């Protein structure tokens, strides 16, 4: 699984020669969080699934969101507070599990236990 470090232009997998390139990532990936998992008070993700196919977004056992199918206009989100985990845990990463042809982009909003807010783009 790759770790995307920047946004890239990704061609439409169904029309790689003449499809419009859009910012995003192609295939599975991982976004490293700038704080350790035990410091996270709230974790939220906003993600565009650019298709084809669906995706699953996870962070440890604390956050899991799945989209069965999506297209170029699909934007989704999930948010959970650490106090609502009931024994589950966040990880130091957010992992995107997709088919190798599925395109995606994501923003991760983090609030630490001392109230600092950060956003990471992946």
């Amino acid at each position: 699984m790759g770790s995307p470090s920047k946004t890239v232009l990704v061609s439409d997998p169904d029309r790689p020669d003449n499809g419009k390139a859009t910012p995003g990532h192609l295939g599975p990936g991982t976004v490293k969080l700038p704080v350790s998992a035990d410091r996270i008070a709230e974790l939220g993700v906003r993600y565009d699934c650019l298709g084809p196919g669906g995706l699953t977004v996870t962070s440890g056992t604390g956050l899991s969101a799945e989209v069965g199918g999506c297209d170029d206009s699909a934007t989704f989100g999930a948010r959970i507070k650490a106090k609502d985990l009931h024994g589950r845990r966040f990880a130091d990463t957010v992992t995107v599990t997709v088919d190798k042809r599925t395109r995606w982009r994501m923003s991760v909003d983090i609030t630490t236990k001392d109230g600092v807010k950060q956003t990471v783009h992946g």
Side-chain angles (χ1 to χ4, degrees), residues 85-102:
L85 292 179
H86 305 292
R88 295 173 296 163
R89 297 177 178 262
F90 293 128
D92 293 338
T93 58
V94 175
T95 302
V96 177
T97 305
V98 294
D99 178 270
K100 66 181 180 180
R101 296 182 41 185
T102 299

Side-chain angles (χ1 to χ4, degrees), residues 34-119:
V35 298
S36 63
D38 61 349
R39 296 199 31 171
I40 299 172
E42 185 172 11
L43 183 67
V45 293
R46 290 183 315 278
Y47 49 97
D48 295 333
C49 181
L50 306 171
L55 59 74
T56 302
V57 175
T58 57
S59 180
T61 57
L63 176 73
S64 181
E66 183 174 348
V67 178
C70 51
D71 59 34
D72 285 345
S73 62
T75 300
F76 303 91
R79 179 172 298 279
I80 190 165
K81 294 182 179 184
K83 68 178 184 166
D84 298 326
L85 292 179
H86 305 292
R88 295 173 296 163
R89 297 177 178 262
F90 293 128
D92 293 338
T93 58
V94 175
T95 302
V96 177
T97 305
V98 294
D99 178 270
K100 66 181 180 180
R101 296 182 41 185
T102 299
R103 298 169 298 138
W104 57 274
R105 60 182 163 243
M106 175 173 45
S107 295
V108 182
D109 296 321
I110 304 157
T111 303
T112 62
K113 290 181 178 174
D114 54 1
V116 176
K117 296 183 181 197
Q118 300 179 57
T119 299

